[in-house]
Amino acid sequence: MTAKVFVITGPSGVGKGTLIRALREQVPGLELSVSATTRDPRPGEVDGIDYHFLTQDQFDSHQESGDFIEWARYAGNRYGTLSSELSERLASGVAVVLEIEVQGARQVRSSLPDAVQVFIDPPSEESLRSRLAARGTDTPDEVESRLQTAHSEIAAGKEFAHRICNDQLEQAVDELVAIVRRELDS
Ligand code: 5GP
């Protein structure tokens, strides 16, 4: 049996990270792929845990070597999933969760067609604005840029096999857990 890959996608600020944390508490054994990025670490973020923080040159070199399963430009930075985050785990039967934006999720759809893709919707675009502002990690310009991108990302939601609205967190977690358990059991 091949281990499963779960892709959790949706706009920045929709709560993907919170949902994945709750999912992993309820479904033990799921491992999280640590993405590579050229963005600067935010206060408290740890290299190798939150992201692999790379220089532009390091990211270029991984791209040239074909090390990424997917990568995308997002809000002025590059983000990507290194194949090394998946290969050993999948070979040893460990299911992996990817938290990525929509362009990357589309690439995974063609490179790993068996991956289970879940799109997370915000209850409204206004709710995204307040969450991004409350998070306090982005400048007002960055918040605006993320919201503009969110608009087209939400329009892409219909491409995804599973779609969950993160209105009530507990209910959204229950829906995500149900999808993942069903796929793991199938
Ligand atoms: P942030 O800068 O807020 O950590 O992430 C910005 C966006 O990039 C989020 O939507 C996040 O899910 C996405 N992201 C994080 N890692 C990856 C990755 O490896 N690939 C892609 N395509 N997007 C990613």
Side-chain angles (χ1 to χ4, degrees):
M1 193 192 74
T2 340
K4 291 260 162 54
V5 174
F6 294 94
V7 174
I8 313 299
T9 191
S12 176
V14 78
K16 300 189 289 287
T18 308
L19 285 169
I20 291 172
R21 263 192 301 281
L23 167 69
R24 293 181 65 217
E25 278 167 20
Q26 293 195 38
V27 184
L30 291 174
E31 292 195 4
L32 189 61
S33 160
V34 177
S35 295
T37 184
T38 57
R39 112 157 140 59
D40 291 334
R42 295 177 182 140
E45 283 184 330
V46 178
D47 186 35
I49 292 181
D50 298 290
Y51 278 105
H52 299 294
F53 292 101
L54 303 186
T55 62
Q56 300 291 347
D57 284 351
Q58 288 170 324
F59 203 100
D60 285 345
S61 133
H62 280 300
Q63 272 182 251
E64 282 156 21
S65 311
D67 294 341
F68 288 114
I69 288 176
E70 62 75 31
W71 72 273
R73 289 183 198 283
Y74 182 92
N77 295 298
R78 284 179 287 171
Y79 296 81
T81 305
L82 291 161
S83 319
S84 55
E85 288 291 317
L86 297 189
S87 42
E88 276 182 28
R89 288 170 173 144
L90 296 182
S92 52
V94 174
V96 186
V97 179
L98 270 56
E99 181 202 324
I100 61 179
E101 52 70 75
V102 165
Q103 304 167 73
R106 285 191 178 122
Q107 294 167 46
V108 174
R109 203 186 298 148
S110 47
S111 55
L112 300 172
D114 291 337
V116 179
Q117 300 223 349
V118 184
F119 184 90
I120 312 297
D121 274 292
S124 65
E125 290 191 32
E126 209 36 57
S127 70
L128 274 188
R129 181 186 298 276
S130 16
R131 288 171 83 140
L132 286 170
R135 194 159 79 173
T137 47
D138 304 292
T139 64
D141 279 355
E142 280 163 352
V143 169
E144 282 315 312
S145 147
R146 282 170 186 250
L147 284 170
Q148 281 198 1
T149 309
H151 190 73
S152 53
E153 288 181 311
I154 294 167
K158 58 181 178 302
E159 297 171 17
F160 292 88
H162 303 281
R163 207 166 171 176
I164 295 173
C165 180
N166 190 13
D167 189 0
Q168 301 295 325
L169 178 64
E170 209 173 307
Q171 191 186 331
V173 171
D174 287 349
E175 288 176 35
L176 182 58
V177 167
I179 292 168
V180 169
R181 287 212 172 113
R182 203 162 53 232
E183 292 290 342
L184 289 173
D185 290 344
S186 68

